[in-house]
Amino acid sequence: MSPHNKPTPLVSIEMLPEEQELTRLQNEQANLEEQVTSAELALETTKAEIARFQYRYYQAVGRLYAQLDELAAQIANALREQSPHDATAQAKAYAARERAKKSAEEAGLIEAQSEPAKIITPGLKETYRRAVKLMHPDRATTEQERKRRTELMQRVNLAYAQGDQGAIEKIIREYGEDPEAITGEDVASRIVKAIRRIAQLRRRLGEIKQEIDAQQKSEIFQLKQTAEEKEAKGDDPLNELANQLQRQIADEEKRLKAMTARE
């Protein structure tokens, strides 16, 4: 064979150990990012569903509870006036008034809120996922960037709760491409960045799980679950409760009228 026709040596395509480690870390990071995105979506969906039920609950019975608490406070006050030296009556009147005040405040807050989205569409969910992947605060490497992303995600979360897919798409367009994409860095630096990113993702995943758990243990969530289970069987628990409360209100109004008539 002519020396000018020697075969070209085969170049090893095996990855170096550090390149293998970087690939492994990048795969782990991608998996965690997907988990975090899904968890963020689950959290915001849970919040939105609770808000929607809370609004519906208030429209059906919340105002009636506030009315009933107000009547209870008036009755307790009438009893206090009848027994001005009775410490127990004084304490009950104070507690009833505080409860009525709290009910009125909660009613006012809900009244001030706009009606939540009636349905969370698959398109809305997918748009939300895109926004989380693009601008989540945990993708920031500086405090300034984290603050900016946090403010953007607050806008995204609000739009999601309101069912406004167009608003989320607009935020995504305004944000543009992720400015922190890794380009042109050496392997060692990218390994360090991946390790730190993985730590951030694990921390956030733990936080989200705790938040979801807290939401699902809340009284309003438990009430929502119970109501939806009964509705699935064809019952109308909120309407039944409203009728019950209206009867109680009528009874309390008669009681208060009788008490004031004797004065």
Side-chain angles (χ1 to χ4, degrees), residues 46-66:
T46 299
K47 288 180 179 179
E49 289 175 346
I50 289 175
R52 189 165 61 249
F53 175 78
Q54 192 170 31
Y55 187 88
R56 187 161 66 93
Y57 178 84
Y58 171 74
Q59 294 297 321
V61 301
R63 285 179 249 191
L64 297 176
Y65 270 121

Side-chain angles (χ1 to χ4, degrees), residues 16-23 25-26 29 181-195:
L16 296 173
E18 57 267 31
E19 292 174 330
Q20 292 176 353
E21 177 63 5
L22 176 59
T23 299
L25 289 170
Q26 288 175 331
Q29 177 180 326
I182 300 171
T183 56
E185 297 180 2
D186 61 90
V187 173
S189 297
R190 295 174 71 184
I191 286 176
V192 172
K193 180 173 273 190
I195 290 172

